[in-house]
Amino acid sequence: MASYSSLTALIPVQSQLDYALEDVTADEEKENLVYQYLNKLDDKGDLKIPDFEPDLEWLNTEGPLSLAKELAGKVVVLDFFTYCCINCMHILPDLHKLEQQHSVKDGLVVVGVHSAKFPNERVLANVRSAVLRYAIAHPVVNDGAARLWQELEVACWPTLVLLGPRGNLLFSLVGEGHGPRLQLFARTALKHYGDQGLIKGHSVGIRLYRDSLPVTVLSFPGKVAVDETGKRLVIADTGHHRVLIVSRTGQVLRQVGGPVSGRRDGDLSEALFNSPQGVAIRGDAVYVADTENHLIRKIDLSAGKVSTLAGLGTQGTDKEGGAMGPQQPISSPWDVALGTAGGVENGVLWIAMAGTHQIWALFLEDGKLPKGSDSKKGTCVRFAGSGNEENRNNSYPHKAAFAQPSGLAPAPAEPWGCLFVADSESSTVRSLALKDGAVKNIAGGERDPMNLFAFGDTDGKGVDVKLQHPLGVAWDAQSSLLYVADSYNHKIKVVDPKSKQCRTLAGTGEAGDTVGPGFTESTFNEPGGLCVGDGGKLLYVADTNNHQIRVLDLQTQTVSLFPILTEDFVDVASTTAAAPPRKTPKLPKSAPVVEMPPLTVAPGQTISMELSLALPEGTKLTEDAPSFWSLSAEGSDWLLESQVVTGDISDLSRPLSVRADVPVVTATPDPAPTLTLAAWVYCCLSEGGACMMKAVSFRMPLRLGSASEQGSVPVSLVHVFQK
């Protein structure tokens, strides 16, 4: 049996190099030290590691990769990561920069070795979604059982391991912030082994999964917020790097940013974001956690401008703060919420600073934090959290500790007077008192502050509750209930903070995209954010991996899709041209398809369709939403050429008349075409509350005669929509 080495054998040797590098500054001196180190390793004999297990699942490749085959003759960077880990995300820009400097042809290959922390992260479909969400463009292997992690004795996420062309251990880098050292090690190893003729330029069969995917209206929406009137929603369309402002019926009012990532202030039509997450709206001001730009941005809808309120555009390491926003470096802000701190109402923006495991405050007006000094408008400063990644509750805010806080929900009124925090890596929901900064447990985790592995899926009370990486919380002041996006359990849960009782509200615990009709039949896929609307009657959920917004009606206990209507959207800030013709959206999977019997019709005749639709009981047609019908004949476009193929639906009290004239042609291109009439209807509960989109299609196979005739052929189409 072959003998393999682990990092335990490498660390004593590399530690001497690490110490020596601290004492020199010139690049040439550093490279000479690395050359000497590599020569020493070569003299000692290869520290070989075991190959990847043959049964592992691979992404972004044409097939499995092997250190003995496809990766032989390459300098390989193994990135041991788990996709929940913010520190793992922080090193992706370093890896991307390295791949830009050295291609596969140059001899460098980065391989992500996904070694899961949470059970949910072992599922290939979830890893695939993460690879897409974080735009990872190198091979990734799903080592769900962490076999290679254990063989190499890796201790923490992230860990980078560099291998030589024979699969031999060269270097190890633990944690984040090693970009320059990584570049030094990689370029020196490539030259060292290139001079020996050991580097090969062959392809390794990279095929990006993202290139095979269809376009979706939303892409990994992270968070959703509703304004104080309940008439507008703000959606962080994270994967499209944009923010959408939509009406309560789903009509897009403004889109800011996208489709590519970037960093740019200015006019709404020109602004750029990079994977925005948290959003908050007050009046015409939208505040955005521009996560991967490490910025807090403001969208001023009335002025039509985007500005930066805090951050430098690069990841910061400061854990104290206190500078004015544009001069204050910050790290991966994940959520934002408006609140009050010793001054004007809504005069502070609370920030879930996931990158430093803290809660920060950005003062929009002069104010004061509890147990803190006065702060001037524009100051950005830590509120709570030591910066250590822990599940530590404490009466003193700076002695408490969080673990990647990712969701915020203010509950300013007494007896609560707190911020509720979704602390994802500790799998807890915590409270942060606005009066004195005390941090307490509400649900999940356990009492040992160092244990970040107390997760599961258990309803109950306090620490007996088990959650799995919750990313969002929403407070309903009227019912005094807290709603939780229990992301990796694919559930929505509800907590009574007074009794600390937690129970499942919606979802089955399995990832899926089933929409209702009831809460217990619906399935979600890593929901990342949620907000309460319509006076506590509705819950809007950002169903992240399903690329959807769901609406939970808390009164009827039903779930529906929230439509995003972009087809008729024309941004008045960027164009004055007439709106383009309506584009027909794709029918949802849940839409029924009514198969009609074949219809015999002759060229020259008119198909006269009478469409009768009935809404679900207790609902009415939404006046300000564009319900419509559409005709199509896939593969037989000649059938409907130069005819009216779409129209509005504004009244369902009587049948709607739709006609299609069968052309008289010298040679029928297709003697048996299929005519499809589809309808999209937007309705709301009659007493107010949930709005939903319903759709249906009727497929009519046509049997065309050879001789021309006149007259009409009547067809009755009837459908009753169900809740």
Side-chain angles (χ1 to χ4, degrees):
M1 182 176 177
S3 176
Y4 295 115
S5 300
S6 71
L7 296 183
T8 303
L10 178 69
I11 289 172
V13 185
Q14 186 183 329
S15 61
Q16 299 176 31
L17 171 65
D18 292 334
Y19 288 132
L21 288 172
E22 295 298 325
D23 295 329
V24 297
T25 56
D27 288 343
E28 186 177 350
E29 291 180 280
K30 291 179 180 179
E31 289 180 1
N32 286 334
L33 287 172
V34 177
Y35 281 130
Q36 295 171 24
Y37 166 83
L38 291 173
N39 284 321
K40 185 186 298 184
L41 280 185
D42 291 344
D43 293 341
K44 289 172 66 71
D46 287 343
L47 298 174
K48 297 289 288 291
I49 71 167
D51 208 340
F52 300 106
E53 295 285 340
D55 59 342
L56 296 181
E57 302 158 316
W58 287 80
L59 296 169
N60 287 343
T61 65
E62 295 173 352
L65 301 183
S66 166
L67 295 175
K69 297 176 182 177
E70 293 83 3
L71 299 175
K74 304 290 188 184
V75 170
V76 179
V77 180
L78 300 179
D79 172 24
F80 287 89
F81 78 108
T82 184
Y83 73 77
C84 69
C85 164
I86 191 68
N87 310 90
C88 299
M89 299 308 105
H90 285 165
I91 70 169
L92 289 177
D94 293 337
L95 294 174
H96 179 63
K97 186 174 182 179
L98 186 69
E99 290 174 292
Q100 289 181 316
Q101 293 172 342
H102 310 287
S103 66
V104 173
K105 188 175 181 180
D106 295 332
L108 180 94
V109 180
V110 176
V111 176
V113 185
H114 191 267
S115 310
K117 171 184 175 180
F118 293 99
N120 181 69
E121 295 179 304
R122 297 174 189 151
V123 180
L124 179 64
N126 299 335
V127 180
R128 183 185 293 123
S129 291
V131 166
L132 292 171
R133 189 161 64 244
Y134 296 115
I136 297 174
H138 51 251
V140 173
V141 59
N142 182 24
D143 190 6
R147 297 171 187 165
L148 192 56
W149 169 290
Q150 295 167 15
E151 291 277 1
L152 293 186
E153 299 182 89
V154 176
C156 67
W157 301 280
T159 292
L160 298 177
V161 176
L162 280 74
L163 306 177
R166 297 182 294 269
N168 47 311
L169 281 172
L170 299 181
F171 310 97
S172 172
L173 295 166
V174 177
E176 58 178 289
H178 301 298
R181 188 69 56 92
L182 173 64
Q183 294 174 39
L184 170 66
F185 287 168
R187 72 171 179 267
T188 310
L190 285 168
K191 186 163 191 320
H192 174 77
Y193 290 108
D195 290 344
Q196 299 177 34
L198 298 177
I199 297 298
K200 307 300 180 184
H202 62 271
S203 169
V204 298
I206 293 177
R207 184 174 62 192
L208 299 185
Y209 175 68
R210 69 188 182 201
D211 293 340
S212 63
L213 295 177
V215 176
T216 55
V217 176
L218 299 178
S219 176
F220 300 105
K223 302 288 184 183
V224 59
V226 64
D227 73 1
E228 62 270 27
T229 69
K231 295 182 179 180
R232 294 177 300 174
L233 272 72
V234 181
I235 300 167
D237 189 10
T238 308
H240 286 145
H241 310 287
R242 64 178 180 172
V243 176
L244 297 181
I245 294 88
V246 303
S247 72
R248 67 192 301 267
T249 58
Q251 186 66 49
V252 175
L253 305 174
R254 290 288 179 89
Q255 61 179 28
V256 189
V260 298
S261 63
R263 176 195 172 194
R264 184 187 300 153
D265 287 340
D267 293 341
L268 300 188
S269 60
E270 300 176 350
L272 293 174
F273 299 89
N274 192 350
S275 298
Q277 286 283 347
V279 285
I281 180 171
R282 185 77 179 178
D284 281 336
V286 178
Y287 301 93
V288 182
D290 192 6
T291 304
E292 293 192 19
N293 272 331
H294 309 285
L295 298 173
I296 301 297
R297 315 282 290 282
K298 178 184 177 182
I299 302 172
D300 188 329
L301 296 174
S302 59
K305 298 288 185 180
V306 174
S307 58
T308 295
L309 300 183
L312 305 181
T314 55
Q315 183 192 344
T317 57
D318 185 1
K319 297 180 180 180
E320 299 287 341
M324 300 304 288
Q327 287 79 49
Q328 177 61 57
I330 60 176
S331 179
S332 297
W334 208 272
D335 201 8
V336 290
L338 285 160
T340 305
V344 178
E345 183 178 0
N346 294 314
V348 68
L349 189 71
W350 305 117
I351 306 168
M353 203 71 76
T356 55
H357 314 290
Q358 296 171 311
I359 308 300
W360 281 48
L362 173 62
F363 283 88
L364 307 176
E365 302 291 344
D366 293 351
K368 182 179 181 180
L369 291 174
K371 299 182 179 178
S373 57
D374 293 339
S375 293
K376 293 293 185 183
K377 178 181 178 179
T379 304
C380 189
V381 64
R382 168 184 61 160
F383 177 18
S386 65
N388 297 325
E389 188 176 9
E390 299 171 352
N391 175 25
R392 188 176 299 278
N393 300 305
N394 199 286
S395 297
Y396 295 89
H398 292 180
K399 292 185 178 180
F402 297 90
Q404 205 170 307
S406 302
L408 298 175
E414 295 298 335
W416 315 111
C418 70
L419 269 177
F420 290 110
V421 180
D423 198 37
S424 61
E425 280 294 278
S426 67
S427 294
T428 64
V429 174
R430 323 268 286 280
S431 68
L432 171 56
L434 298 175
K435 184 177 181 180
D436 58 12
V439 177
K440 298 178 181 179
N441 173 274
I442 298 295
E446 68 151 62
R447 290 180 175 83
D448 179 1
M450 305 303 292
N451 184 2
L452 300 183
F453 288 81
F455 52 78
D457 185 7
T458 305
D459 292 349
K461 179 179 179 179
V463 293
D464 294 332
V465 173
K466 290 297 173 277
L467 309 170
Q468 191 180 176
H469 201 75
L471 288 172
V473 281
W475 175 245
D476 179 17
Q478 294 196 5
S479 64
S480 295
L481 292 176
L482 183 70
Y483 296 96
V484 181
D486 192 4
S487 305
Y488 285 7
N489 282 324
H490 315 290
K491 287 183 174 183
I492 305 302
K493 295 185 176 178
V494 58
V495 178
D496 178 351
K498 183 176 181 180
S499 65
K500 296 189 177 182
Q501 291 285 341
C502 173
R503 62 178 175 86
T504 297
L505 179 70
T508 65
E510 298 293 328
D513 62 356
T514 302
V515 182
F519 284 0
T520 56
E521 295 89 6
S522 295
T523 55
F524 303 85
N525 196 335
E526 294 191 12
L530 68 177
C531 67
V532 176
D534 200 23
K537 297 177 184 177
L538 303 179
L539 197 62
Y540 297 98
V541 177
D543 194 9
T544 304
N545 285 0
N546 279 328
H547 315 291
Q548 297 170 344
I549 304 298
R550 303 279 188 94
V551 185
L552 277 62
D553 188 310
L554 299 172
Q555 294 183 322
T556 64
Q557 301 278 292
T558 55
V559 180
S560 61
L561 282 181
F562 183 77
I564 307 295
L565 308 175
T566 61
E567 288 75 23
D568 294 325
F569 169 69
V570 179
D571 192 340
V572 296
S574 60
T575 180
T576 57
R582 174 186 281 131
K583 297 178 183 177
T584 304
K586 185 178 179 181
L587 282 166
K589 294 179 182 178
S590 58
V593 178
V594 181
E595 298 287 351
M596 303 294 292
L599 181 68
T600 301
V601 65
Q605 288 187 314
T606 297
I607 303 172
S608 298
M609 292 162 276
E610 294 289 310
L611 176 63
S612 298
L613 301 175
L615 295 175
E617 185 178 354
T619 66
K620 61 180 180 179
L621 203 64
T622 307
E623 294 180 2
D624 54 350
S627 299
F628 67 97
W629 58 265
S630 176
L631 270 179
S632 62
E634 187 173 353
S636 302
D637 295 341
W638 59 271
L639 185 65
L640 298 172
E641 189 172 350
S642 301
Q643 298 193 55
V644 177
V645 294
T646 184
D648 293 331
I649 299 176
S650 57
D651 183 6
L652 295 181
S653 63
R654 59 182 184 271
L656 183 71
S657 296
V658 179
R659 58 178 284 170
D661 298 324
V662 181
V664 178
V665 293
T666 54
T668 303
D670 180 3
T674 296
L675 185 65
T676 299
L677 176 62
W680 286 260
V681 176
Y682 299 91
C683 56
C684 295
L685 294 177
S686 299
E687 68 273 13
C691 293
M692 61 199 84
M693 184 270 283
K694 298 290 183 180
V696 64
S697 68
F698 299 86
R699 286 172 47 86
M700 292 170 281
L702 303 183
R703 292 177 178 171
L704 297 183
S706 56
S708 299
E709 297 184 27
Q710 294 184 342
S712 65
V713 179
V715 179
S716 178
L717 306 173
V718 179
H719 182 72
V720 178
F721 291 113
Q722 303 297 317
K723 268 192 179 180

